[in-house]
Amino acid sequence: MAAATTFVPVEEYLRSSFEPDAEYVDGQIQERAVGENVHSAGQGALCAWFQQQAKEGQIRVRPELSVQVTPTCFLIPDVTLLDRNSPIEQIVTRPPIAVFEILSPADTLKRVMTKCGQYERMGIRTILVIDPDGPGYQYVAGRIEPLESRAFDLPGSTARFDLDEIEKLLD
């Protein structure tokens, strides 16, 4: 028999705090896979790389920032890049320039694909999935595929993604 799930109103989610942060999807609180060294190192390297480009690239770099992809769905990408010219929001409601998900052993393909689809429907043009033990992937048109290029300019900014350089920042 399936376990019953409890519906949580969006207002209750927004006034609650979770450790670590939890996502909210259509009335359900969902835990995030975080906390392992390899995941944290990847997040730090991405942030360090893009922070170097923040002003010149016209971006803001935010780890673990809530993104409201629909009125009843709040996701927390591992790293979010925002347009520096857009107003600052406590919870992002405009499509970011890019979002990055770093795979953890606890992640499932189904969950990652669902999140990427939600990001795409919001209008995010660059959705990257980084596997700390393997290649990088891009989510495009409902599919996840290996990156064609490990370095490219990010649409909507003058920032540049370069996986080889980011990997050099891993500690």
Side-chain angles (χ1 to χ4, degrees):
M1 183 171 253
T5 57
T6 303
F7 177 83
V8 177
V10 69
E11 298 79 15
E12 184 176 332
Y13 166 77
L14 291 173
R15 67 174 179 262
S16 299
S17 62
F18 304 91
E19 190 60 43
D21 287 336
E23 297 175 322
Y24 179 86
V25 180
D26 300 327
Q28 294 182 350
I29 307 294
Q30 297 184 351
E31 292 183 18
R32 295 175 52 236
V34 296
E36 297 179 356
N37 184 62
V38 69
H39 184 274
S40 180
Q43 190 175 20
L46 279 167
C47 287
W49 171 256
F50 286 112
Q51 196 59 50
Q52 295 172 21
Q53 304 176 57
K55 291 209 168 125
E56 190 175 302
Q58 292 298 299
I59 57 173
R60 287 193 171 92
V61 183
R62 299 292 185 259
E64 301 177 9
L65 178 64
S66 290
V67 176
Q68 184 176 5
V69 297
T70 71
T72 62
C73 185
F74 295 76
L75 301 178
I76 304 171
D78 290 311
V79 177
T80 302
L81 300 184
L82 303 169
D83 183 338
R84 183 170 281 283
N85 298 309
S86 293
I88 293 174
E89 301 176 284
Q90 293 306 308
I91 296 176
V92 175
T93 61
R94 294 174 187 83
I97 289 172
V99 293
F100 299 85
E101 291 290 343
I102 302 166
L103 296 179
S104 293
D107 282 322
T108 65
L109 181 59
K110 180 181 178 182
R111 181 168 162 84
V112 171
M113 291 293 290
T114 299
K115 285 181 75 169
C116 289
Q118 291 164 318
Y119 294 141
E120 184 177 57
R121 283 187 293 282
M122 182 191 193
I124 301 172
R125 292 170 38 192
T126 303
I127 304 162
L128 299 179
V129 179
I130 307 299
D131 182 351
D133 297 321
Y137 300 93
Q138 185 163 9
Y139 184 89
V140 180
R143 297 185 328 202
I144 194 162
E145 46 195 50
L147 288 173
E148 288 183 19
S149 173
R150 291 177 59 90
F152 54 89
D153 294 332
L154 293 174
S157 75
T158 56
R160 184 160 180 79
F161 174 81
D162 188 326
L163 191 54
D164 292 327
E165 293 300 316
I166 293 165
E167 287 174 346
K168 290 178 185 176
L169 298 173
L170 290 170
D171 182 15

